[in-house]
Amino acid sequence: SKIITSHSHDSPILAVSFDATGSRVSVCGRDGSLKIVDVQTGEICLGIAHGGNVSAVAWSTDHQRVAMGHSDGTVTFSDIQSDSGIISLHAHTDRIYYLAWSPDGRRLATASANQFYAQIWDLDSRQPVFDPLRHSHAILSMAWSTEGRKLATGSSDQTVKVWNTDNGQETVTVRGHFDAVYSLSWGPEDRQIASGGVDGSVKIWTSLQDQESLNLPGTIRATAAIWSPDGTRLASGIDDGLVRIWNRTHLETVVSL
């Protein structure tokens, strides 16, 4: 096998994603440019310019559409399979910090750096679906449940909130971290949520109860936490470069990378 190298951007790369066939990869740059690269040749097949200083990127679950959040609070969208052009949404008044597509691709959750709420948008009407989903401090992470009926938000107010996305109502607030909540991931059958915090810990919560079921201790900021597809293992990443993979049943480290 050989390594394919493509110099697709002159600015830092923020996100990459394979298409459904694995034959092309989409590359997003901080300058707002989106390039589609052939993985066999490294050649650029398509380029789309979103423009502006990009601060967040999210792909739809089918990997056909990309949303880019900008420093002025705007969110732009493009579809790599159509000529629909760039669609703009004036979502917030300052830098977009986090974006999360709903599983069906019809809604997008947005959060900004200095406005202490998330907003769920209907992408057909480009209008908010509900009133803002509020925290007392900035929202740093969001995750949709797999069936799209719930949205979890993590904040620098040290809490995780779960929202009903049918009516926009808060279902539960869980507390237990001693610093900001930096990452979120739903567990098997949407019954549990894993949260990673600046306090170094990864916690596993029963999603509809203010109850911590497992605590995976640490001392350095946990920047990532994600479940395996079968829900039997949890991977966590921390600031010192270490990745741990945990066995959910026995609360033991399977491997450290």
Side-chain angles (χ1 to χ4, degrees), residues 135-211:
H135 280 258
S136 62
H137 291 76
I139 293 173
L140 305 179
S141 54
M142 296 188 290
W144 289 84
S145 60
T146 55
E147 92 298 349
R149 302 287 298 276
K150 297 185 285 289
L151 178 73
T153 54
S155 170
S156 54
D157 65 11
Q158 306 175 16
T159 70
V160 176
K161 292 178 182 284
V162 178
W163 307 86
N164 183 324
T165 58
D166 290 332
N167 57 27
Q169 297 299 305
E170 179 184 330
T171 301
V172 67
T173 297
V174 296
R175 298 173 175 86
H177 284 283
F178 297 103
D179 210 323
V181 179
Y182 215 73
S183 59
L184 293 169
S185 178
W186 286 88
E189 299 179 357
D190 295 335
R191 292 178 179 176
Q192 293 178 314
I193 303 169
S195 61
V198 176
D199 59 10
S201 68
V202 175
K203 297 181 182 294
I204 300 174
W205 309 87
T206 302
S207 63
L208 296 181
Q209 301 176 28
D210 185 3
Q211 179 182 351

Side-chain angles (χ1 to χ4, degrees), residues 55-246:
S55 53
V57 176
W59 289 91
S60 59
T61 54
D62 61 5
H63 300 281
Q64 298 305 304
R65 289 173 293 165
V66 64
M68 294 190 185
H70 300 263
S71 57
D72 63 356
T74 301
V75 178
T76 54
F77 306 86
S78 61
D79 188 325
I80 65 173
Q81 296 295 325
S82 74
D83 298 323
S84 57
I86 306 297
I87 299 172
S88 294
L89 177 68
H90 298 287
H92 295 268
T93 59
D94 68 342
R95 178 172 63 94
I96 300 295
Y97 190 87
Y98 208 97
L99 300 169
W101 289 84
S102 64
D104 63 6
R106 298 176 60 187
R107 296 180 178 184
L108 185 80
T110 64
S112 71
N114 297 311
Q115 292 177 296
F116 303 158
Y117 63 84
Q119 192 79 68
I120 297 177
W121 299 86
D122 177 272
L123 297 183
D124 289 330
S125 66
R126 303 182 208 174
Q127 297 295 318
V129 180
F130 309 114
D131 291 337
L133 314 180
R134 296 189 180 277
H135 280 258
S136 62
H137 291 76
I139 293 173
L140 305 179
S141 54
M142 296 188 290
W144 289 84
S145 60
T146 55
E147 92 298 349
R149 302 287 298 276
K150 297 185 285 289
L151 178 73
T153 54
S155 170
S156 54
D157 65 11
Q158 306 175 16
T159 70
V160 176
K161 292 178 182 284
V162 178
W163 307 86
N164 183 324
T165 58
D166 290 332
N167 57 27
Q169 297 299 305
E170 179 184 330
T171 301
V172 67
T173 297
V174 296
R175 298 173 175 86
H177 284 283
F178 297 103
D179 210 323
V181 179
Y182 215 73
S183 59
L184 293 169
S185 178
W186 286 88
E189 299 179 357
D190 295 335
R191 292 178 179 176
Q192 293 178 314
I193 303 169
S195 61
V198 176
D199 59 10
S201 68
V202 175
K203 297 181 182 294
I204 300 174
W205 309 87
T206 302
S207 63
L208 296 181
Q209 301 176 28
D210 185 3
Q211 179 182 351
E212 175 188 318
S213 56
L214 292 176
N215 178 57
L216 312 180
T219 58
I220 304 174
R221 180 170 64 171
T223 56
I226 189 166
W227 292 95
S228 63
D230 63 4
T232 61
R233 295 184 178 185
L234 179 73
S236 63
I238 56 179
D239 255 2
D240 65 359
L242 183 67
V243 175
R244 287 191 176 97
I245 300 176
W246 304 83

